[in-house]
Structures are given as C-alpha cells and as structure tokens.
Amino acid sequence: MTEWNALRTGRRVAARVGSLVAAAVLATAATTLHAAAETVLRIARPDDVRALNPIRQANNSTSEVTYQIHEGLVTVNPEQQVVPVLATSWELLPDGLTYRVKLREGVTFHSGRPFNAEAVAWNMNRQLFGTPPGIAAGLIPKLGAVTVVDEFTIDFTLVKPSGVFMAILGAPLFMIVDPATMEELGNDGYDRGPSGTGPFMFDSWTPGVNVQLVANPNYWDKDNGPGVDRVIFEVIPEASARAIALRNGEVDIAFAVAAEQVDSFKVPGFTVHEVPSTRVLYIGLNTVDPILRDVNVRRALAHAMDRELIATIIGANGARADGIGMPSALGFFPSARAYDPERAKALLEGAGWRAGSGGIRSKDGVPLEIRVQTQGTTPGEVEALQVVQQQWLAVGARMIIERVEGGALAAGLTAAARAHTEDPTKIPPYQGFVLADGIRTGEVGYITERPKCDQGQRGYERYCNPDFDAAFDLSQSTAPIEERLKGYKRMAEIFEEDVMRLPLFVMQLNVVTRDTVKGFVVNPNQSLSLRGVTKAD
Amino acid sequence: MALFIVRRLFGLIPVLLGVLAVAFAVTRLTPGDPAEIMGGLEATPEVIAAIRIDMGLDRPVPVQFLIYVGNVLQGDLGRSFYNGREVLGVMLEALPRTAWLAAVALAFTLGLGIPLGIVSALRKDSWVDFAARSFALVGVSAPPFFVGLLAILLFSSYVRWFPSYGSGTWRHVVLPGLALGLSSAGLVTRLTRSAMLEVLNENYIRTARAKGLRRRTVHYVHAFRNAAIPIVTITGLQLGSLLSGAVLTETVFAYPGIGRLLVRSIFERDFPMVQGLILLIALIYLVANLLTDLLYTAIDPRIKLR
C-alpha cells in the first residue's frame, strides 16, 4: 500500500514536473515567436540621454531620444523648413504681437489623456516660469500672455514683435509633455515614465546602457508613424566599438562614425550618410584685443585662410565653411573672405606690421602672435587649426594653439567678457577662441545674435556695432520675408567687413545604416525623427 | 583579531572625512561652472542664475561643504547635476557591474598568473619558463584597451562567441574581464616566479627536501605559501584598482561601470557624483587593504595584528 502510494505520489510529481516543463517549453516558444515577430531597431550612439524630461534637458544626445516620445507644435524638417506637428496652422494677428495657433485634434498622450490648448499653456508656463526654468526659456522671445482661446486654439502674445517665434518653437527644445503625468511623477520621477504624444512610448532606461521605446499603437499620424515595434538606443562611447557592433550586425544604425572609418562602410550592405550639419566651427576673435582691434589685422588673418584646403585635410569630419551657417538655412549669405595670401600680406604691411626674424611680423617690438584657445575635442578641429597655423605663418603671423578643457574655456571666456562688460577698461586677456554654433530653427538668426551689443558676458567677440544690431532686428522682425532677408544679407556683409569670426569648417554628421533600414534621413540640425523608418528582415 | 578589525574600521572615519574634504575642495577649484554646462551656451544669464540656485551653488562654499557633510552623515550623497538622479542610486547601479567585471578579471589574473609563475620558477630556463616569461612580458606591455580591441575583433567579429559591447549577461563580461585580467596576470606571473625562485633557495626548503617530503608538498605547501605574501599584496592593490573602475576597458566595451561614470562626471562638472565616487573609491581601497592585512595573518602566522 505504501509502495502504491509512493508510486502514485511519484507519478503525480512526474506529471506535475512534466506539465511544468511543457508549460515552460510553450512559454519559451511563445516568447521566441513573439521575439521573432517583433521588429527591433538598434541605434548605437556615443552618449546616453541626460534625462527623459525634455523640460530639464535638451542637448542633442537627449533630444534624439526624447523627441521620439514627445513632439513640438512645429518642427524643422531636413530641408530646414518649419512644418506643423501638433499645430495645424498659425497666424500673426493684426496687433503684430499675437500668434494664434490652431492645434491638432484627436491627439492623445501616451497616458491616454487628451492633448489640448490647456496642455500647451501649461508647458509654456512650466518652461518659462518653472523652478528652475525650462531649457527652452533662454531661446523663446519674451511673452506677455499665453491665452487659451478654445480647446484647440491658443494665443501667444509677445512683448516685442518677432518673425521667428514659430521657428524657435521648431527647435527640439520645446516639446509638449503630459501635464498630468508630470504633476503626478514630479520633475525627477518623470524620467521613470515620460508621456508625450510621439510615435514611440517609453519602455525602459538603464542609465549608461540603453533606452528602450516601443511603438505607440495610437499615434495620430497613421501615414507616418512608427515603422518598427521597438527602438533601442544603445550607448557605445568608443567609435571603433560602434563600427564593430554595426559590422557584426549587433546594431542597425551607428551615429558619429569616425571619419577614418567612413570609407570602409562604402560597400554593399551599408548606407553611409555624410551630411554637413548646421553647426559651424569658427575662430572667434576678441575685437578689443590690442592686436586684433585693428580690423585690417583681422581681415588679413581671414585672407590667409584657405578653407578649401582645410576641408580637404579634415576629410569626412567636415565640409567647407563659406560663412556663418549653412547654405540650406534661411538667411544664409556667404561672408568668409577669399583665400588671398598676397592681400593678407599687403593688409599687414599697411597696418604697420613689418617682417621680422623667423618670418614673424612685428610692430613697435610686439610680435604678431595670436593665441587661440581650443578644447580640441571636435573631430578635425586640431588638424584644421594646424593648417591655419601654417597658413598664418606664411603671411607672417604666428598662431599659438592653447588646449583648454571645455568647462575651463567657457568659464574663462564668460568671466573675462563679464568683467569687460562691467568695466570697459578690463580688456579680456584672450585673443582667439574656437567654438561651434549650430542652427536648430532653420534660420541663421539665432547664431548671428552673439556679436550684438547687448550680449554682455556671452558676447565673447566684444563687438558692438549699431548697424549690425539694426540688421539683426530687421532679420527677426515680422516684416515680409524679402525685408528680413535684407537684414540677414547686411549682417553677412558686416561679418565680412569686420571679421569677428573666422569660419573653420561645417561639422559633418557621419551616420551609417545597414541596408535593412529604410526611410532613415539625417537632419542637418541633428534632430532625429524615426517616423516612418522601417527595418526589413 | 576582532579588536584589530574594529580599530581599523574606526580608523577609516578620519581618513574618509579627509577624503571628503579634499574631494570637495578639488571639485570646487576645478574651473568651469556646472550651471553653465547644464544650461548650455543658449541659456541666458537669468536662466543660469536660476539653475545655480536650484543646484545650491549660490551659497558660500564653506556653507555648501557643511551642508554636504551633514547630508553624507545621513546617507544622502546628493543628486547628480547631470541628470538629477540620486548619486547613491546611480553608484549602486554601476558598482555591481564593476564588481562583476573585477571578479572575472581577478579570476583570469590569479588563474593564469599564479600557475604560470610557479611552473616558470620550477622549470627555470626551460622552454616553459621562456613561454611563461614571454606571456608575462606581453601581458604587462599590452594596454588593456588594445587587448580589448583585439579580443573584440577575434571573439566578436570573427568567431562571434561574445557580444562586442554592453552588459547584463555573463557573456558581456568575459572579454573585458580577459582584457583587464591579462595585464594583471603578466604582473602576477613575474612576481610569483621571482618570489618562488627566492623561496626555493631557502634553507628550510632544502631541509624539507632532505626530510624526504614529496616534491609537491615542498613546492605547494612550503614554498608557495611563503612566496604568497607579495602576491597577496599586489592582488590587494589590483583588487582596489579593478573595483574603482577601468576607464579605458569600460569605454572600449561600452561597459557601464564606475570608471566610465567617473570620467563622464568629471567632464560634466557633476560635483556630487565626483565626490560620491571619490568617497567610494577611497572606501574600496581601505577595505581592500584591510582584507590584505587579514590575509597576511592567515598565510603567515608569524605576522601579528595589533
């Protein structure tokens, strides 16, 4: 009897184990089938997101991800045109100050709550008056009022007229978050469950490892929605490691592919996207420096630079810069001086700089030496500076390249510029500095603002010219586009005449995709849209 | 022994307070404003000022330090300037990954280094010795990031046994562990060989042989035990170094450990994170030293802990 019981118990155990094993096998099979059915797009990038809260962070590596979850009222497309997203239309009312924006109906946040004018007003208030203010606060022109007209209409009343207000909202800085989710989770907790209206919904974030998003089944744009089930943004800091992962098929897209590796991907199976960005690397000049305050010296230094040769030397790191900005941006006019070393020499002679020992010119015993501070971290930056160093030497000017850590460079420039703003007798000790400026609004206006008289500690060139300011104001006004372009043209002329900045090169975006990825387009302004991107098996 | 451990643990407190003060001072002396970095060049001075107040950077530095020490004593290391997350939480996410990597690297180090060193000493001037010494030379000379890239090419690209990047499974940790361990293994091989050669010439080894003890007993019980002291010393130091993060190896393998976190935090002027990590690294070294001292007594009973 006991043996019989034992046998029965044994059979029961065996049956249970058997059923558990069967269940496990079925579950594994189901998972495998599910996994096989799921299309996963893996993107390798050098940096992680800083936060998933777009009000708090909007640097490029962050907004590339948060812009898949959230959307703005408008965006700047790869052709650098401002196009509607959550707005459907907008108009400037007769008062010349109020933009009336019609919003898209039938859109819901990932939380299921409706998107409406109240949500937009909440976002604008949070950006401008939150503690601390949002990351877009510094860019958005001063607003007198934000008025909800009806559920899908909102008025933005500016303090001063601005023709670029909507373009500024197109930068991936002003994204609409779900107010209720933000209130519920708080500024910090929002990272655990961001909710926007975008084509992808948040799934997980393992800091330093990856961010995973899943397709939003309720996305409003059925024609241009998510084309894959899951997107994984992998963090792979090292360029070689990203290239290897792409080659191995571990990822589908690799961002920031090193210039020297770009050519190796120009083979079947891969598509190389070499796109000049909207960022220009330049040497800024301190126009109140004892040597550089002479405009002829600045002009000579500009004429001594062969930007074509720079572009050749730096290869896939960049393209030739013809001015401040890029040709596809609204308001771009060439402003860089032509390469003409003889003219450079003549200008220096005319300014009293005579050839001295070692080929370096001097004046009143002072050698023509220009110290240029640089971080040297942008690919191609140091090589470009070395080319310019040789070219300046050929006309009798010595460039001393000073490598400075990024934080120290910005802090040093800001402190010296602030001191000079407060007390004009305190001449900033720096001469040249290498910085990059980028356009995210489709117009060059935003990056031409710095040399204005009112820039204070941000006006590192220490340049002030009421004519330039007037041209800038015209370019940003609500006047017809032809008039605004006159303002942009005049600014370019002044850049060429007064040479506050020497463009080095247009930074290039090098992205490689596997041929299985379709519909992927690189936007020169570095805002990433994965709408409509698909992946074949 | 227990009294020794308690005394040493109490001795850690002033050292850690000193580390805290130095870390705080160094981060504040470094040029660069975290609020500027966070706001970016687009931010207006007003926005920067608001961010500075939000970060608590508007207060005098001594006040910031006192607040910081008070918070640390309550277990609050602050929030990251970089992403607003709790410093302790971020460190506790990265530490197990680094510990896992360190364990694998140490396994390679000891598993390869000690046997090779012993064999090399016992077969002095033979081809085995030559091969072991060559391995040690290569291990010591080749930087881990270079070994890492070669390992990726071989094991990820050609034979495809292991992933080339990431973390999460045991397969992710093999290649970075190998890259790190190989370098330390070379050092341990050389050290073991020289220590063994020295011990093998001692009188007590001759006596042990004269007593007719088996070769294996002489070599592994009498000789190796006495040669182990320098190996334990170097292993303790290596453990501290491995646990405090291997920046280049972690970068090559996109392995999100302590080393990468520290470098990123320094570049971003993430003061609370840098301070927290310096504190953690100091603690790791202190504990590794304590463990080394304890191991000495286990190996050599003549060593007394006071």
Side-chain angles (χ1 to χ4, degrees), chain A residues 199-533:
Chain A
F200 290 94
M201 303 189 297
F202 174 74
D203 184 47
S204 68
W205 176 27
T206 311
V209 181
N210 63 34
V211 179
Q212 300 204 26
L213 310 179
V214 290
N216 174 7
N218 302 315
Y219 187 57
W220 56 269
D221 189 349
K222 300 296 176 199
D223 300 330
N224 195 29
V228 292
D229 300 317
R230 181 177 290 271
V231 179
I232 305 179
F233 291 93
E234 303 276 13
V235 183
I236 308 183
E238 222 277 314
S240 310
R242 282 196 299 281
I244 290 171
L246 182 68
R247 228 180 278 282
N248 289 353
E250 294 171 275
V251 299
D252 305 297
I253 302 175
F255 279 34
V257 174
E260 59 274 17
Q261 291 174 339
V262 165
D263 283 345
S264 70
F265 283 103
K266 290 176 179 170
V267 291
F270 299 98
T271 305
V272 176
H273 307 257
E274 292 175 278
V275 178
S277 77
T278 54
R279 284 183 81 76
V280 178
L281 198 74
Y282 64 89
I283 304 174
L285 299 175
N286 173 6
T287 58
V288 295
D289 173 75
I291 294 176
L292 294 171
R293 72 161 65 110
D294 183 344
V295 71
N296 283 324
V297 173
R298 303 202 299 270
R299 286 174 184 161
L301 296 177
H303 278 302
M305 285 171 64
D306 183 353
R307 286 166 287 105
E308 190 63 48
L309 181 63
I310 293 171
T312 307
I313 298 287
I314 62 169
N317 285 313
R320 197 179 82 174
D322 288 327
I324 304 299
M326 62 174 292
S328 64
L330 182 72
F332 176 82
F333 292 94
S335 59
R337 286 180 172 251
Y339 174 55
D340 187 348
E342 293 311 315
R343 174 118 178 84
K345 287 177 192 167
L347 280 167
L348 290 173
E349 282 290 332
W353 293 92
R354 303 279 175 255
S357 62
I360 304 298
R361 292 173 184 273
S362 63
K363 182 178 168 184
D364 303 329
V366 178
L368 185 53
E369 290 178 343
I370 311 294
R371 282 173 287 107
V372 175
Q373 297 185 359
T374 176
Q375 296 178 60
T377 49
T378 303
E381 181 177 344
V382 173
E383 292 84 346
L385 282 176
Q386 286 167 343
V387 173
V388 179
Q389 194 176 39
Q390 291 306 310
Q391 292 170 345
W392 282 8
L393 197 59
V395 299
R398 175 180 287 140
M399 177 198 286
I400 300 167
I401 301 172
E402 292 180 351
R403 295 285 289 266
V404 186
E405 195 275 326
L409 175 64
L413 294 176
T414 303
R418 189 190 302 126
H420 182 248
T421 306
E422 288 163 1
D423 179 359
T425 61
K426 290 183 178 165
I427 303 298
Y430 59 81
Q431 291 181 294
F433 51 88
V434 180
L435 286 179
D437 254 341
I439 303 164
R440 299 175 94 180
T441 59
E443 289 199 26
V444 296
Y446 155 60
I447 64 169
T448 50
E449 190 176 7
R450 292 296 177 215
K452 280 176 68 200
C453 297
D454 63 359
Q455 289 298 293
Q457 63 182 34
R458 290 277 191 241
Y460 300 146
E461 289 89 355
R462 311 313 301 153
Y463 180 78
C464 180
N465 177 354
D467 189 14
F468 183 89
D469 287 12
F472 179 83
D473 289 344
L474 177 61
S475 75
Q476 307 297 290
S477 73
T478 53
I481 188 67
E482 300 76 30
E483 288 300 309
R484 290 179 55 212
L485 286 175
K486 283 180 189 167
Y488 277 127
K489 191 162 191 293
R490 179 68 194 126
M491 275 195 287
E493 287 165 4
I494 296 173
F495 266 118
E496 189 174 352
E497 283 162 24
D498 288 356
V499 196
M500 306 85 86
R501 291 181 178 181
L502 304 167
L504 277 171
F505 60 87
V506 175
M507 290 153 70
Q508 185 159 296
L509 305 173
N510 296 317
V511 179
V512 181
T513 55
R514 295 185 73 82
D515 275 351
T516 46
V517 176
K518 304 288 178 200
F520 182 81
V521 177
V522 177
N523 191 323
N525 76 2
Q526 285 175 275
S527 71
L528 174 68
S529 171
L530 293 176
R531 291 147 185 85
V533 175

Side-chain angles (χ1 to χ4, degrees), chain B residues 8-121:
Chain B
R8 282 288 293 267
L9 288 176
F10 270 108
L12 298 185
I13 295 170
V15 177
L16 289 176
L17 277 175
V19 168
L20 207 65
V22 171
F24 192 88
V26 166
T27 49
R28 269 23 182 216
L29 287 172
T30 314
D33 181 352
E36 292 251 1
I37 291 170
M38 194 153 207
L41 283 174
E42 294 95 352
T44 58
E46 292 76 30
V47 171
I48 298 288
I51 293 175
R52 199 172 287 128
I53 290 169
D54 189 53
M55 288 172 156
L57 294 169
D58 57 321
R59 299 173 183 176
V61 173
V63 175
Q64 288 180 39
F65 180 66
L66 289 178
I67 292 171
Y68 180 65
V69 172
N71 289 340
V72 170
L73 291 176
Q74 296 173 59
D76 177 9
L77 295 177
R79 286 176 175 278
S80 162
F81 287 171
Y82 179 71
N83 54 25
R85 299 181 70 225
E86 295 263 5
V87 167
L88 191 62
V90 176
M91 286 189 342
L92 290 179
E93 273 172 17
L95 186 61
R97 295 188 199 119
T98 295
W100 186 211
L101 176 60
V104 174
L106 209 62
F108 276 117
T109 301
L110 301 181
L112 281 171
I114 292 177
L116 278 178
I118 292 174
V119 172
S120 180

Side-chain angles (χ1 to χ4, degrees), chain A residues 52 54 69-71 108-113 123 176-182 185 190-198 200-202:
Chain A
L52 291 167
I69 303 170
H70 307 90
E71 295 176 303
T108 54
F109 289 107
H110 299 158
S111 62
R113 296 182 188 99
N123 272 271
I176 306 294
V177 308
D178 177 3
T181 304
M182 180 65 91
L185 298 176
Y190 188 80
D191 282 345
R192 293 194 302 272
S195 167
T197 60
F200 290 94
M201 303 189 297
F202 174 74

